[in-house]
Amino acid sequence: MTPRATYRFQFHKDFPFARAEALLPYLDRLGISHVYASPITTAAAGSTHGYDVIDPTRINPELGGEAAFRSLAEAARGRGMGVIIDIVPNHMGVAGGGNRWWNDVLTHGPDSAYAKFFDIDWSRKLVLPILGAPLSETLADRQIAVERQNDRAEIVAYGEHRLPIRDEDQADAETTPIAELLERQHYRLASWRVSNDELNWRRFFTINELAGLRVGDDAVFEETHALYFRLYAEGLIDGVRIDHVDGLTDPVGYCRKLRARFDAILREDGNRAYIVIEKILAADEPMGTDWGVDGTSGYDFMEEVSALLHAPEGTRPLADLWAQISGRSADFAPEELQARQDLLAWQFAGQLEGCVASFAALTASAPDLDGAITTPMLRRAIERLLWVFPVYRTYGPDAPESDRAIRQQARDRVERFIPPGEAFVVDQVLTWLSGDGPGDTALRAEAVRRFQQLSAPIAAKAVEDTAFYRHGVLLSRNDVGFDAGRMSLPIAEFHDRMVGRAERFPRAMLTTATHDHKRGEDVRARLAVLSAMPDEWRAMVERWRTETLGLSEGVEPADWYMLIQTLVGAWPGSDAAEDFVERVAAWQEKALREGKLRSSWEQPNTDYEERCNALAKTLIIGSEGRAFREGLSSLLKAIAPAAAANTLAQLGLRYTVPGVPDCYQGTELADLSLVDPDNRRPVDYPAREAALAGGRDAKMALLAGLLAARREHPALFEKGDYQPLAVTGHGKDRVLAFRRTHEGAVLTVVAGLRLWPLLTEGNRIDWRDTRVMIDDEPHPVAEMLADGSFWHRIDVTP
């Protein structure tokens, strides 16, 4: 069944399949066609997200197991609904001792039947960086012992890490000195601090608890995907969302193989599997149409619609204000460059060395290059390319056109960093990345793989998990997949992108909130208003800066300003209390540690974090923060109409432009969440059911109305084209209008954007002579948007 509209559930032991099944009547009334499930396979005990899979062959018993999942799927099917599941082909959870494949590798080393499942360099022992200190110190402190469980002797570190012991050492495990026993194993225990430099197996980003899978191997692919194919064949799922596809060796080949395997399964309902990928597209990066997928999981749309809501007039003034307050760059590019350099040196040194070594081996296999290119030259070329690489990764011979443009862009960007006389080394590396060039073909493939599986995490960790926490021009422009260097997207460009969606990916997922977002969709919508009022915002910030100067002593101005923006964006209303204080404190801790400037996960500066938390608490509920709260209340009241308009425009476009809209759990009502785990808090579903029945909440009412329209006219929304409509008059730059047509049905949409400059004292919108041209006739926008900021109509010709 083709999804009409999905609803994302985050499953965990406190929200199992049975809870979702009980909510199916609500989702059905709302108009949802498919439950979109977070990973359902067995994850690490107590996992709150499911991406740390320890057994992809079995449905997670903590969620209810296969019986409960089957009940959910069959109940959905009984209502004419379906299920899409999130799958994790890139990595597995290896902490806690629950992964039997990983344990078998630790027990038997390279002779394990599962050794080829993981991306391990067996030229030396497998490094396990689980110790809090060097091994000698840990042994001296007697933090490592041998215990027997289920008739097997195990190494136990700190009373929690249980590690298997080789079969041949079982008999004398308890009597052998522990240091000697460890020396015999296939793994080497080490301090967690050496992981960035010494790890000899691929992990997910910088997370030592997640080991990379070699899913490109046919046997690994079949073993890890058998459950999904069975569930699909039985009609229990209708498709999948692929997590972190760019982490794979060959994303294009993987997606094509997955499509072929699903297509080979003949179902009675004639369904063709729905496949979307978690793919972060850089600004203007094209997505290939030959991957065999329906599109991305929606971060690109989240960026497009968010940028559309922001006003271009805020670009320079807000950048200058940030630079003035923080003393940091007004532009994002220098922050990204520094973050890439930092992360490559601090957290990916081991992977970089492995990448350089692979290119050195390739160079040595090419006689013409013998003596011309040294290993240090290769290191300089590779690290400098990684500093500036414009996208997550390239794809090799399967994507020649897009890759060619990316490599040229990388070459242009790296020019200023190339050491004198070494440009030819950079050119040679880029040639190899194209799938061409001298040397052994197998060594070339390995070198290219290592580069591609390094460029992706460098982009993700440096941009989204570092630079976004250092750069605060406007926090609503810092989110997953966003281009923080661009404040606003022109309306004409948004139209062009939607035309492209209709032609290339009409079934791609559309989302504006996810389990990974850094700020809720309505936090971003509210903050976007500030881009349309830079002068008023500057005045307010300068007033607050003066009023809170004594309160913020010892807090860096940049962190003060990011806190102020966060309070403006996420302020829950007059009932702000201890709960909000705790939520903001959790956000501050993560923001400061991810930024890696004044604190970090490796060495937390708790004194500084406490000063920031104390400031936040004072501003939120302290008596000394009363003046701030009064000013905040006045500001929020003033911008409320424009913020509400952004919320409705964002939602309305998600359900009317080409694609399959997703509603992230709970966002039917106001989404004022912060970064995870805040965005995964329990959802008050009785309140949402009451709002749906009452029809008085504007966001819920618009959502339900559009879902009803999609249910009544599915072909129009699935197959309709996209035609921009011209707008004239006073507010022409504040209106987006388009129509979609299919077989006699016509959807017309008009949305108000960036409305702050048009608001009158009575909070009315001054549209004056603004007109939308429909069938060459001008229609007054004031009539269409009299009661809101989003208008739509469907006309059907008999």
Side-chain angles (χ1 to χ4, degrees), residues 318 321 530 533-541 544 561 635:
L318 292 183
L321 178 60
L530 306 182
M533 49 179 292
D535 294 338
E536 296 94 327
W537 173 243
R538 170 182 277 275
M540 181 64 75
V541 168
W544 280 334
Y561 188 42
L635 173 66

Side-chain angles (χ1 to χ4, degrees), residues 94-99 102-103 106-107 128 130 144-165 187 189:
V94 295
N99 188 323
W102 185 253
N103 286 341
L106 298 183
T107 303
L128 289 182
I130 62 172
I144 299 177
V146 176
E147 295 180 5
R148 193 166 289 272
Q149 182 172 277
N150 299 326
D151 202 33
R152 291 281 301 185
E154 298 176 326
I155 296 290
V156 181
Y158 304 109
E160 59 175 318
H161 298 285
R162 307 192 73 90
L163 304 169
I165 293 173
Y187 51 84
L189 298 187

Side-chain angles (χ1 to χ4, degrees), residues 440-499:
D440 181 84
T441 56
L443 292 176
R444 182 175 67 215
E446 173 66 6
V448 170
R449 176 189 74 82
R450 285 183 176 271
F451 185 95
Q452 292 171 333
Q453 289 185 319
L454 179 54
S455 65
I458 285 293
K461 293 298 292 182
V463 176
E464 294 165 14
D465 292 341
T466 303
F468 277 2
Y469 291 101
R470 297 177 176 180
H471 185 73
V473 168
L474 192 57
L475 294 184
S476 48
R477 293 300 300 133
N478 295 9
D479 221 306
V480 182
F482 282 24
D483 178 8
R486 173 174 59 189
M487 178 66 70
S488 177
L489 185 71
I491 290 175
E493 186 173 342
F494 182 85
H495 281 315
D496 289 343
R497 290 172 181 246
M498 296 308 107
V499 170

Side-chain angles (χ1 to χ4, degrees), residues 227-275:
L227 173 66
Y228 312 139
F229 298 141
R230 178 170 64 81
L231 295 176
Y232 178 72
E234 294 180 26
L236 299 178
I237 64 171
D238 288 326
V240 298
R241 177 260 199 189
I242 304 166
D243 180 64
H244 189 49
V245 73
D246 276 343
L248 306 180
T249 296
D250 179 11
V252 180
Y254 168 83
C255 289
R256 290 172 178 169
K257 182 192 293 187
L258 189 68
R259 169 61 73 191
R261 289 289 279 106
F262 274 126
D263 283 354
I265 299 171
L266 300 179
R267 292 200 344 182
E268 293 180 0
D269 59 10
N271 175 80
R272 191 177 195 228
Y274 181 67
I275 304 175

Side-chain angles (χ1 to χ4, degrees), residues 600-619:
S600 66
W601 296 109
E602 293 80 6
Q603 190 170 1
N605 185 342
T606 54
D607 289 342
Y608 183 73
E609 292 173 359
E610 287 170 4
R611 288 200 297 275
C612 291
N613 291 167
L615 171 62
K617 184 174 183 178
T618 299
L619 295 179

